[in-house]
Amino acid sequence: MLIIDNQTNGQLINNLVFGGAGFLGSHLIDKLLKKGENVLCIDNFLTGKIQNIKHLKDNKKFFFIKHDVINPIKSKIPIEKIWHLACPASPIYYQKDPLLTIRINYEGTFNILNLAKDFKSKLLFVSSSEVYGTSRVKPQDENILVNLSTTSPRACYAEGKRIAETLVDTFSKVNNIEIRLARIFNTYGPRFNINDGRVISNFINQSLRNKRITIYGDGKQTRSFCYVDDMVQGLINLMESSYSGPVNLGNEEETTIFDLALLIRNKINPSIKIEYLDLPVDDPRYRNPCIQLARNKLKWIPKIALTEGLDRTISFFKL
Ligand code: UDP
C-alpha cells in the first residue's frame, strides 16, 4: 500500500498523473505545469522512462513517486484531479504479460477509483480505440459495438479497457464522483520509445538506420495518427468539460500503412527497401475516429497535420 503523505510538502495536489513517465503522460505533465498547476507523477517504469521526466527534477511544482497501481494507494493530502494513463499501450508490450495488462486495467483502475473516492477527486480515464476491436465500420463513433473475440491476443488490452470503462462509470454512479472517459486513437510524437514496436517509431528507426521498412500484411490497413500536443489538449479540454460519457479523441486524417511507409521513407531516405511480414492476429483493418462529439462537447479539433508531426518526430529521433 502506498500512502501519499508529505511528498508534496503539504501542498494540495492539483493533478495526480498515473503513468506520467510514459510518452503521453509526460507531455500531459509538461502542459499542466505550464498552466501553473502542481503535478504528482506516479509510475513504476514498466514502459515509462525516467528520461521522459528528468527535465522536471528541479521544478518545485513537480513531484514523483515510484509505485505500481495494482497495489492500493491512500492519500492524506487532498487531490483535485486524477489522470489515469497507467498501462502499456503498444501491442508488443501489452501482450508480453497479458495477465498483468488485465490486472492493471481492472485492479489498478479499482485502486485509483478508491483513491478518487476519498477526496471526491475528478478522474479522467484514458481508454482506447481498441475497445472497437476489429470493427470495419468507419469512421468509428462512440456507439459502434466491439468486434473482437474474448480470446484474441489483443483481448487483454481491449477487454481490459472495456471493463475499466464499465468499472469507472459504475463506480462513479455508486459513489458519486466525477469522471471523464477518453478513447484515444493512435498518437505519436517526440519521446516515443524507440523500441516501442509501434509503426511510426519502427518506420522512422528503420529509415534512419538504413534497414528495410517492415510492413505487416498488405499495407492497405489504415490508421489515423494524432500528434501528441493535439491529444494532450483534447485530454485537458475533456477534463475541463462537463461530459462524462466516452469521447473519441484522434485525428480524422486517415492513411494506409503503405502510404505512411512512403511518406516516412521519402522524408529520410527514398532508397530504403520495403519488406512485407505477416499481419499480427486480429490487426484492425481500419482505424478512423468520428470526433463529432469532441468537437461539440469539448470544442476540440486536432491542428497538426501528419506530415508536420512526422517532421517533428523525426527531428526528435535524430537527436
Ligand atoms: N505495423 C507495420 N509495421 C510495423 C509495425 C506496425 O506494418 O513495423 C502495422 C500494424 O500491423 C498495424 C499498424 O501498423 O496495422 C499500426 O500498428 P501499431 O502497433 O503502431 O498500432 P495499433 O495496431 O495498436 O494501432
Side-chain angles (χ1 to χ4, degrees), residues 89-91 94 130 154 186 197-200 202-203 206 214-216 221 223 225 257 279-280 283-284 287:
S90 171
Y94 70 64
E130 200 72 16
R154 295 178 87 100
N186 298 66
R198 309 303 287 268
V199 68
I200 288 188
N202 276 5
F203 287 1
Q206 289 157 346
T214 54
I215 290 186
Y216 303 158
Q221 71 270 37
R223 292 295 184 274
F225 297 98
I257 295 306
L279 189 69
D283 195 277
R287 273 288 159 70

Side-chain angles (χ1 to χ4, degrees), residues 122-191:
K122 206 198 262 188
L123 170 74
L124 184 147
F125 174 65
V126 174
S127 182
S128 165
S129 55
E130 200 72 16
V131 299
Y132 303 125
T134 55
S135 170
R136 291 194 171 218
V137 176
K138 52 171 203 170
Q140 286 142 359
D141 68 45
E142 288 80 357
N143 298 316
I144 66 164
L145 296 176
V146 66
N147 182 29
L148 189 73
S149 149
T150 53
T151 54
S152 164
R154 295 178 87 100
C156 58
Y157 186 79
E159 293 300 325
K161 289 295 182 188
R162 287 175 63 81
I163 187 61
E165 281 193 21
T166 306
L167 181 61
V168 170
D169 179 66
T170 308
F171 192 101
S172 78
K173 287 169 180 155
V174 172
N175 292 293
N176 194 26
I177 59 167
E178 266 198 80
I179 55 142
R180 306 285 178 261
L181 294 170
R183 286 188 183 153
I184 72 171
F185 284 64
N186 298 66
T187 306
Y188 71 103
R191 292 191 203 145

